[in-house]
Structures are given as structure tokens and as C-alpha cells.
Amino acid sequence: MSELVELSQGERDALEKLEERQRPVRRGAVLQRENEPCNELFILRKGLMMSYVLLADGSRQILRFLFPGDMLGVSSAVYQEAPETLAALSDCVVSPFDRAALAEIMREHPRLSALILVYCQIERVALTDRLAALGRTSAKARVAALLLELRNRLRTTNKSIANAFALGLTQEEIGDATGLTAVHVNRMLRQLEEDGLITRESGRVTLLDERALGHAANYVNRYKGLDLSWLPPPRS
Amino acid sequence: MSELVELSQGERDALEKLEERQRPVRRGAVLQRENEPCNELFILRKGLMMSYVLLADGSRQILRFLFPGDMLGVSSAVYQEAPETLAALSDCVVSPFDRAALAEIMREHPRLSALILVYCQIERVALTDRLAALGRTSAKARVAALLLELRNRLRTTNKSIANAFALGLTQEEIGDATGLTAVHVNRMLRQLEEDGLITRESGRVTLLDERALGHAANYVNRYKGLDLSWLPPPRS
DNA sequence: CGTCTGCTTGAGCCTTGTCAAGAAACGTGG
DNA sequence: CCACGTTTCTTGACAAGGCTCAAGCAGACG
């Protein structure tokens, strides 16, 4: 959050309290399972996670990829049973905290409350971008958008990433995120390669023509263009 | 909001302040346009609205239908430019208010802040349901889900609605919401009718077999099953 | 009464899914 | 460090769900 505004000491203390505890999570492990009661929220400290739902026919829709700094399980905190599963795509570290800690922030730190709302809205807009992609764009555009989003989010934690990165996802997972089959994802990656937009070698992807990719994908970086001038002042 | 918890006098006053002003909106009118700056939020008092985005090729994705009581434009308040368009599907009445009023609620009313977060999460989960529908379910299931969602949301404002209702949408609009073409929406409606799940006459739809529809559509009512026990106490 | 928007239906096509099989990469235990 | 099993990737052939185009029809509205 400190990337958006200068935090006061009291605010920093409150956020650090959320991160008191740490818990390692193995690759493939499930932190929270759909339809099971859940009493914890988390902040992701290290690694890559995802949230997904399973449908009646066994197919999976990946809703979101989660990166260090993201707050996990907010929607589950609001329900008696989690609406989605949280699983680790790589070895991760999370900081669990309970609903009461969230309530305390809402009570004591109006500006942090507003910032949490801001993050929820960023996430919401990113979700609607993906909704529009699934509803109205081609398979190739969806895969391109996923690559761009992934690269941009990885870069916020690891500044050294430029145009090449290890995507850390199987083609099956890319398909479950974009609403495609793994086979078709493979074809789309090959086409993007043939079009000269990317290159690939053993799990690493290089974006060759970012502008053309962004255009093909209708991509907008939703972490830019924010307006935070209206936030209430920090209380302490 | 009073449907979720018993509000205190101070909270009621704060919410009524948001609804001080009223503005009529004609059917078809646009309240807020994508990529234009916006300084207002709204509460929808009467009528049916939608939010949508337009893609580069001119196609439209409807993100959400909006019903009386919904807060509109929260995501736009967070950005310098609105990420989506708000348009009226019927003659409507809205109550505009500005970002400062939102900031004041965050400052003075922790429990209302938490409730706003809860509503954002309900909306978020409804969006992820639709994401999963677009990514992983058939055209027929998506149309069925839309009908169910629409009926349930209409019923929260108009208790007299049972299984029959006027949907107030063109087939083109249904298509833009479900990621289908108007032509295919028509075919799916006819199939649902042939399957004995619904009947139609001149814009009115009757749900004949709600259970089977819900099953076909993978539908979950996200306004149920909430857990609000953790909310902070009202300050006044 | 004419126009316009929305609904309905058919024919044919295209994008994406399904199934299958082989190759490559990865992980694990010896 | 090797050998094996498993997962993942790759590619082809074929099927199907949904789209496009086109035309006729019905109802709303000036």
C-alpha cells in the first residue's frame, strides 16, 4: 500500500500487525477450499498463488492470480463459506490474520479502510477486463492479455524483469484462466510466436513487440491512472 | 443496507445524506461514459441500469445490471477516468453524491465502511460467477443464469414477483451480457422453452422449473450465506 | 399508414473443442 | 548420476458449438 500513498506511523504499525505471523505454503497446497468455512484472511508475502472455482462438470475457472502484497480471502471473509479456492502455484509465504483484525482497521484507520476499498476496486476492474475478454475477444487476444498482465504484475515485485520472464504456469492453467483448452492455448502461443510477438524457450517467454501485443489484447494496466485525492486523512 | 443489519440513528442519517438530491434519468441516457473524467457517485433509487465497456472492434460487454439500492460508480471514483459506462435501461431516478461524502463515511462510520466493503465483495463474487460462466459454461447455461439472476434481483425490490416477470432487456442486451450474439440468444431462449424450463409471451418470461434452471446454470444466490458477525460496532 | 426496432429462422462457415499419440521435460528413488 | 514414471507440451484429424449473413415478420410509435 505504501506504493500508493505515504503512510503515517500509526497506519504502518497497523499493517505490520497483520503481517506478524508467517506461514510457508508448498507448491500445489490449498490454503482455502471452496464451500468450506474459513476464518482467516491472508497477505501473500512471497510466491505466486491463484484463486479458482470448480464447476459441476469438473472444469475449472481460474479467477485471479495473486502476487506478493495482495490480500487474499477478503470475499471469503464476508461469507460463511468460501466462494473460491486459494492454491499455491509456487512455494509461497503467507501472513494469516483474522476478521477481527480487519474490523479493527476499519474502526481505527479510515484512510486504510479507504485504501482497502481502492484495492478491491482495482481488482474489480481487472475482473471486468477479463470478463470482457472472455465474452468478446478471440482466443489469441486472451492469451496475449494474460502474458502482459502476468509480466506487469511480476514486475511490480521484481523490478529486474523486463521483457523476458518465466511464466510459472502450465498451458492447462493458462487455459483455465482464459476459458480455453490446453490444446488451443498451445496453438495460440505458437501463433503469437509465428506472428513475431513473442519467443519461447522452456517455460520462459519474451515479449518482442509489447505495443502490438497490447493492441491485440485490448490491454489496460489498471494500476495506473488512479485518483486518490479524496481519501480521508489518517487518524494517527 | 438496512436489510443486512440494524442501523444506528447516526448511520441512517449519514446514508440519508447521500440520498438528499435526486435526478431523473431517461431510458437510454448515459450517466457516465467510459474514459471520461467523473466526479460523482450515485445511488440508484428507481429503475434498471447497466454498466458496460466497448471494445476496439465496437463490440460491447455488459458488466453488470444495476438495481434500486445499488451504489454506482465506485470503481470510477477511484480512477481519474471512468473504466466503464453507466446507462439507463428504463426511466430511472438516481441520487448523486461526491467522493468527499464517501470519504466522510469512511472517516465517521466504520461499520458503514465495512458494509460498503461487504457489498463490493458481493458484487465481486457475482462477477466471478459470471467470469466462470463465460469461460466454462454453454450458451444455454449462461442465458439460464441471466434469467435467474434477473428474477432474483428484481424480487428484492418488488416482493410481488414470483416466477413471471418482464425482463426489460432486448435479446441483443442479453447477448452483450452473456458474451453471445443476439441471434444465438434467441435460439437458446427457444431451446429453454422447448425443454419446458420457461415460457415467454411478449417480453414476459415465466420460470417453469426453477430447480432445473438453477442446476443447468450452476446458479448460486450470492446475497445469501453472508457472515457479518465480525463487523466493527457503530460509532454513533 | 409507414418506418423502425426487435424477433425469428435457415444455411453455411469458422473458431474452438475433442480425441489421440508421440516427444520432451521434470521429478524421484535407487 | 542414471532410469523410470509422470506430467507437460506438441501436433494432427475431426467434430461441434456458436457466429455471420440474409430474409421475413411482428409490434411500437410517430
Side-chain angles (χ1 to χ4, degrees), chain A residues 84 123-124 136 176 226, chain B residues 80 84 123-124 136 176:
Chain A
E84 65 196 40
E123 184 193 344
R124 196 206 93 117
R136 290 295 184 217
D176 285 345
L226 293 168
Chain B
Q80 290 156 31
E84 64 197 40
E123 185 193 344
R124 195 206 93 118
R136 289 295 184 219
D176 285 346

Side-chain angles (χ1 to χ4, degrees), chain A residues 53 55-57 59-64 74-75 77-81 83-84 99 102-103 106-107 110 113-114 116-118 120-125 127-128 130-132 134-137 175-176 179-181 218 222 224-227 230-233 235, chain B residues 53 55-57 59-64 74-75 77-81 83-84 99 102-103 106-107 110 113-114 116-118 120-125 127-128 130-132 134-137 175-176 179-181 218 222 224-227 230-233 235:
Chain A
V53 292
L55 282 85
D57 64 354
S59 61
R60 175 175 71 171
Q61 176 67 48
I62 295 180
L63 303 174
R64 198 183 174 201
V74 183
S75 60
V78 160
Y79 287 95
Q80 289 156 29
E81 297 179 351
E84 65 196 40
R99 288 171 164 93
L102 180 63
M106 306 292 292
R107 205 171 62 231
S113 307
I116 289 173
L117 186 65
V118 168
C120 287
Q121 291 303 320
I122 296 172
E123 184 193 344
R124 196 206 93 117
V125 175
L127 275 175
T128 61
R130 298 197 42 222
L131 191 72
L134 292 205
R136 290 295 184 217
T137 74
D176 285 345
L180 301 169
T181 57
N218 238 218
R222 295 303 188 176
K224 294 183 177 169
L226 293 168
D227 178 352
W230 57 275
L231 293 181
R235 184 169 294 145
Chain B
V53 292
L55 284 89
D57 64 354
S59 61
R60 175 174 71 170
Q61 175 68 46
I62 294 180
L63 302 174
R64 197 184 173 199
V74 183
S75 59
V78 160
Y79 287 95
Q80 290 156 31
E81 298 179 351
E84 64 197 40
R99 289 172 163 92
L102 181 62
M106 307 292 293
R107 206 171 62 232
S113 307
I116 290 174
L117 185 66
V118 168
C120 288
Q121 290 305 318
I122 295 172
E123 185 193 344
R124 195 206 93 118
V125 175
L127 274 175
T128 59
R130 298 197 42 221
L131 192 72
L134 292 205
R136 289 295 184 219
T137 74
D176 285 346
L180 301 169
T181 58
N218 238 217
R222 295 304 188 175
K224 294 184 176 169
L226 293 168
D227 180 351
W230 57 276
L231 294 181
R235 184 169 295 145

